[in-house]
Amino acid sequence: MTEIYEELIHVFKKQFHHEPTDKFFSPGRINLIGEHTDYNGGHVFPASITLGTYGVASQRADSLVKLYSTNFPDEGVISFDVNDEEKLPGSSWGNFVKGVLQALRGYGNHFEHGFELVINGNIPNGSGLSSSSSLELLIGVVAQKLYDLKIPRLQLVASGQRAENDFVGVNTGIMDQFAIGFGEADQAIYLDTNTMIYEMVPIHLGDYVVVIMNTNKRRELADSKYNERVRETQEAVYQLQKYTPVQYLGELDAKTFNKYADKLESNILVKRARHAVYENERTRVAVEALKSNDLASFGKLMNESHQSLKDDYAVTGIELDTLVETAQTVDGVLGARMTGAGFGGCAIALVHQDNVDDLKAAVGAKYESVVGYDPSFYVANVGDGAHWVGKVGE
C-alpha cells in the first residue's frame, strides 16, 4: 500500500507541481449471497475487500476540480468547475465525480473551492467487484475531508447511488455503495435494503477461504440487460399489486409468491420475480448458517443461488457458468456462485485452503478450453470501508 501512495504522490507532483495533502482509500466489494435483490427491497450479504481505489488530494484556492487517473492516462487531466453540473462527453470517469458532487449539493452541501485528485484503482475494470461504487465512495470521503462536511455516512452512501442512478444512468440498488461505505475488516453486512436496517456478521471461515474467479470479460452495466431486469421485476410488482398489497418483491415470502405467481402475465415475469423472492429467502437462511458455522449449508445455498441466477434471472452466461460449474466439482469446494450484476465479471468459491491450487488448475484449464483465454484468481480478504487514510508525510 505504501508503494501505491508513493507513486500517486509522484504523479500528483508531476501533474500539479506541488505535493498533495491527504490520502484516501475506498474498497471494492463482493456479495456472498443475495444477488439482484437490492433494487427489489430484499436482503443482501456483501463485504468490502482489500482491492480498491486509492487517492491523494488537496484543496485549490479557485473553484476548479482537476482529476487524473493512472488507470486512464490517455484522458489526461480532467478539469471542470466544482459547481458545473453538465455531463462530460463520452464515458469519462469524471462523470462519477460530478455525479457525487451533484448529489451532495442536493443534500444542502456547498462547495466554495475546487480540489485536485489523483487516483489509482486495482479492482479489475468491469470485473463486477464494483469499481464504480468504489470510486463514488472515494469521492465522498474526499469531499467530506476537504470540505469538512459534518454529514452521516449514509448520506455518502446515498450520494454514490444517486450519482450512479441519476447522473450516470444505471438503475442500481444501494448494496454496492452501502457495503463500501459501511464495510469493516472480517465482517459481512446483512442488510435489509428496504428499511436500511443492517447487522454486522463476523466471517469465521476456519480453514476455508473465499476465492474470487474473474472471467476477464468486461461487464458494462449501462450497456447490459441490468436495467431490463429492473424493469421486469418492477412490472411483476405492478401486476401483483392487483392481488396483494406489495411495494417490493422482497416483502413476499415464497408461499405468498407461489399463491399469486400464475397471475403474472408471462413466464418471463414469473421467473424474474421467483428469483428475487427465493434469493431473498436464501440470503436469510445463509446468514443463519454462517452464524452457526455451518459452512456446508452456506455453500449449498451459494450453489442454489447461482442456479437461480442462471435459470430464472438469466444473468450468468457461458463464462460465469464455466467458472462456477467447474469449481463446484473440485474437492474442497463447498459452494460457488457468480457475484455482482453478472453478464461477465466475477464468481466466488468457498474452498478449503489446501485445495486453492487445485481449484485454480481445474477451473483455469476448463475455462481456457471452453472460452479461449485464461481467468484470473484472487483470495478475497475482507477489509475496511472507504476512509481517510491520513496526511501525506505521516
Side-chain angles (χ1 to χ4, degrees):
M1 185 179 290
T2 302
E3 290 179 0
I4 293 176
Y5 285 116
E6 286 176 352
E7 175 63 20
L8 286 179
I9 291 166
H10 172 75
V11 172
F12 190 101
K13 290 162 72 173
K14 182 178 178 182
Q15 294 295 330
F16 303 127
H17 312 297
H18 65 95
E19 195 166 84
T21 56
D22 296 272
K23 299 178 289 187
F24 302 89
F25 176 72
S26 181
R29 68 94 192 91
I30 56 172
N31 190 29
L32 295 171
I33 196 167
E35 216 67 75
H36 287 275
T37 52
D38 58 342
Y39 54 82
N40 285 306
H43 291 79
V44 292
F45 196 43
S48 51
I49 58 177
T50 51
L51 297 172
T53 310
Y54 300 79
V56 294
S58 64
Q59 295 181 11
R60 286 180 62 89
D62 60 18
S63 62
L64 285 180
V65 172
K66 293 196 170 187
L67 312 168
Y68 185 86
S69 171
T70 59
N71 300 100
F72 304 106
D74 292 346
E75 286 201 40
V77 174
I78 298 169
S79 182
F80 55 86
D81 188 278
V82 68
N83 293 305
D84 176 12
E85 296 191 349
E86 289 295 315
K87 254 189 163 181
L88 296 166
S91 57
S92 170
W93 67 274
N95 281 319
F96 289 95
V97 182
K98 280 197 158 192
V100 172
L101 293 173
Q102 182 190 65
L104 287 169
R105 273 191 297 271
Y107 286 110
N109 299 293
H110 301 285
F111 308 125
E112 303 296 334
H113 58 80
F115 59 89
E116 293 158 338
L117 171 68
V118 173
I119 68 167
N120 172 267
N122 61 7
I123 303 171
N125 203 35
S127 64
L129 302 179
S130 211
S131 56
S132 61
S133 296
S134 177
L135 173 59
E136 289 154 9
L137 268 294
L138 183 85
I139 301 308
V141 293
V142 167
Q144 186 174 36
K145 178 65 178 176
L146 296 185
Y147 296 107
D148 194 26
L149 303 179
K150 308 300 185 186
I151 57 178
R153 179 53 59 119
L154 189 58
Q155 188 178 121
L156 293 185
V157 167
S159 294
Q161 186 194 16
R162 287 178 64 178
E164 192 110 22
N165 292 175
D166 302 338
F167 202 84
V168 178
V170 184
N171 296 322
T172 59
I174 203 167
M175 175 187 70
D176 294 352
Q177 293 87 356
F178 199 100
I180 290 165
F182 284 90
E184 296 178 14
D186 302 319
Q187 307 264 334
I189 305 172
Y190 181 46
L191 170 66
D192 182 334
T193 61
N194 191 19
T195 65
M196 291 294 105
I197 295 171
Y198 69 98
E199 176 187 359
M200 304 305 295
V201 179
I203 300 176
H204 298 306
L205 300 182
D207 293 332
Y208 287 81
V209 295
V210 176
V211 174
I212 299 171
M213 305 179 290
N214 190 350
T215 63
N216 290 324
K217 175 188 178 183
R218 284 182 56 86
R219 176 201 48 75
E220 296 290 357
L221 271 185
D223 299 328
S224 73
K225 294 188 177 181
Y226 185 96
N227 289 347
E228 181 181 296
R229 295 295 178 274
V230 176
R231 290 191 297 271
E232 287 168 340
T233 48
Q234 288 174 341
E235 176 62 24
V237 169
Y238 174 74
Q239 293 183 18
L240 289 169
Q241 283 174 336
K242 300 170 187 174
Y243 308 99
T244 183
V246 59
Q247 297 300 314
Y248 297 100
L249 290 171
E251 297 170 10
L252 296 175
D253 58 23
K255 181 179 179 182
T256 305
F257 171 73
N258 289 333
K259 180 179 178 180
Y260 297 109
D262 64 351
K263 305 296 185 183
L264 293 171
E265 294 174 2
S266 75
N267 189 49
I268 288 291
L269 292 185
V270 172
K271 292 168 74 172
R272 304 295 188 254
R274 182 168 59 212
H275 168 76
V277 172
Y278 279 54
E279 181 77 350
N280 191 37
E281 293 209 344
R282 264 190 296 273
T283 304
R284 297 173 193 265
V285 177
V287 170
E288 293 306 313
L290 191 61
K291 287 180 179 179
S292 303
N293 294 316
D294 186 355
L295 296 184
S297 292
F298 192 92
K300 181 173 179 287
L301 290 160
M302 290 174 69
N303 292 340
E304 291 174 4
S305 171
H306 186 85
Q307 200 66 40
S308 178
L309 288 158
K310 176 184 178 181
D311 295 341
D312 279 350
Y313 225 64
V315 293
T316 57
I318 186 66
E319 295 88 0
L320 283 166
D321 289 338
T322 301
L323 289 180
V324 168
E325 291 166 7
T326 308
Q328 289 169 350
T329 68
V330 175
D331 286 344
V333 173
L334 296 181
R337 60 182 292 278
M338 59 157 271
T339 187
F343 313 107
C346 288
I348 55 173
L350 181 59
V351 56
H352 195 281
Q353 60 191 14
D354 293 343
N355 298 100
V356 171
D357 288 341
D358 299 335
L359 172 77
K360 292 178 180 179
V363 174
K366 181 69 172 180
Y367 189 83
E368 200 280 331
S369 70
V370 171
V371 179
Y373 52 86
D374 292 330
S376 300
F377 301 91
Y378 331 86
V379 173
N381 296 307
V382 177
D384 288 324
H387 62 282
W388 174 68
V389 173
K391 288 288 185 183
V392 170
E394 290 183 352

